[in-house]
Amino acid sequence: MVVEFLVPFIIFALLGGTVALVIGSGRRRGSGGVDARGVRRFFQYLLLFILSVVTAVGLTELLGRLLGTSADGTANGSYLLARALAFVIIGLPLGVAVVWWMWRRQRVDPSEARSPLLTIYLTVMTLTALVLTVVAISNLVADAIGWSRFDAAAAGQLLAWGGLWFVHWQATRRLLDGTRGDVQLLGG
């Protein structure tokens, strides 16, 4: 499937663009040093993005298997199941811990909620999840129109990435004011 090969390149391009934006718009202090809070924010949002993607990839595989993807009994099938379980078991709790820590930081320092990096993270993650959700819907509709066999992998992808999109969409509506969330609407 062509999409499976394009997704890493799309994610890499989005991350590269985010890094370029952060470096280009980094606030400089007195002697030319970079603001330490901006660097910390960049890495915490990058970590959260990676954990979200890892968790969604693991959930996609697990939900696809649950919905009927043929899982052969070979070593490759066992490897894929183990990888999916590891992605979810490690990625989900760590992602929740990072979100909890960020939420506590926002309560202590309200400027955290006004950070442009929060807007960038929510925009990139929401649009990434939206693209993968639309791809899954497209695959399911193509299978339904062609009267072919039910694509359980696409259904798992729809559930995992659609859920991730919904969570980030709700976070955008709650955390960002109307003008900072407009980029997502335009991109979507």
Side-chain angles (χ1 to χ4, degrees):
M1 189 182 227
V2 176
V3 174
E4 291 175 1
F5 296 110
L6 290 178
V7 170
F9 294 112
I10 292 169
I11 291 172
F12 180 73
L14 290 172
L15 285 174
T18 303
V19 169
L21 187 63
V22 168
I23 290 172
S25 68
R27 293 182 297 183
R28 302 271 178 195
R29 299 246 175 180
S31 66
V34 177
D35 181 20
R37 289 185 306 170
V39 172
R40 177 192 47 81
R41 287 177 187 150
F42 171 74
F43 283 109
Q44 80 185 18
Y45 291 124
L46 179 64
L47 176 64
L48 187 57
F49 181 86
I50 291 168
L51 289 172
S52 297
V53 169
V54 164
T55 302
V57 167
L59 280 174
T60 297
E61 176 68 25
L62 291 176
L63 290 170
R65 285 175 175 263
L66 181 68
L67 295 172
T69 299
S70 62
D72 55 1
T74 64
N76 189 36
S78 299
Y79 163 76
L80 293 175
L81 178 60
R83 183 185 70 178
L85 284 170
F87 279 6
V88 173
I89 290 171
I90 302 298
L92 187 60
L94 285 176
V96 169
V98 169
V99 168
W100 175 76
W101 181 75
M102 289 168 43
W103 176 73
R104 285 193 50 201
R105 292 285 311 152
Q106 286 183 0
R107 289 187 58 177
V108 171
D109 184 9
S111 70
E112 294 281 328
R114 293 186 304 272
S115 168
L117 290 172
L118 174 63
T119 305
I120 292 169
Y121 164 75
L122 286 172
T123 300
V124 169
M125 191 69 246
T126 303
L127 290 177
T128 301
L130 179 63
V131 165
L132 290 166
T133 301
V134 169
V135 167
I137 291 171
S138 172
N139 290 340
L140 286 171
V141 168
D143 290 341
I145 291 173
W147 298 100
S148 63
R149 198 172 68 88
F150 174 70
D151 188 1
Q157 181 180 348
L158 173 64
L159 292 173
W161 287 97
L164 189 63
W165 169 81
F166 183 75
V167 166
H168 281 82
W169 178 256
Q170 292 300 317
T172 300
R173 292 182 59 215
R174 284 183 170 69
L175 296 175
L176 303 182
D177 56 5
T179 58
R180 291 194 306 166
D182 288 346
V183 175
Q184 290 182 24
L185 294 174
L186 180 62

